[in-house]
Amino acid sequence: GPARDEALGHKGVGGRFRQVDADGDGFLTSAELESAFPEGRGWLDESKSILNFHDLDEDGRVTREEFAEVFAYWAAIAKDVVKATPKAYRNTHFMDLRGDFS
């Protein structure tokens, strides 16, 4: 689908994958994820969460395929949630997805 294609592509989240993949080997490692986030504010824990969530074969790194599969899964869930939300409340969901509410 479109979300998976974006994750495998050169723009959008696929482009971000390429930026974080510092050595260009097609894998995201713990070290690459940690260096992609600013220090402080709990980002070290966030980078570990990202690795654990996307590392489907649990080999300690994230391939582009794993990244695309998880991104497509998340995008499908988000789309379903928005569709199931009454229009009057959708803006609140979008704000929450952007992290404006904690």
Side-chain angles (χ1 to χ4, degrees), residues 33-34 37-50:
L33 285 164
E34 288 172 18
F37 292 98
E39 291 184 29
R41 302 185 313 169
W43 285 113
L44 180 59
D45 289 338
E46 185 71 19
S47 68
K48 289 178 184 177
S49 293
I50 290 169

Side-chain angles (χ1 to χ4, degrees), residues 1 4 7 10 15 35 38 40-42 53 56 62 67 74 81 90:
R4 189 173 195 293
H10 298 285
S35 68
R41 302 185 313 169
F53 187 67
L56 300 178
V62 178
F67 179 76
W74 176 86
V81 167
R90 286 184 184 172

Side-chain angles (χ1 to χ4, degrees), residues 56-68:
L56 300 178
D57 63 4
E58 299 179 354
D59 67 350
R61 59 190 187 170
V62 178
T63 66
R64 287 187 63 79
E65 286 293 326
E66 288 172 320
F67 179 76

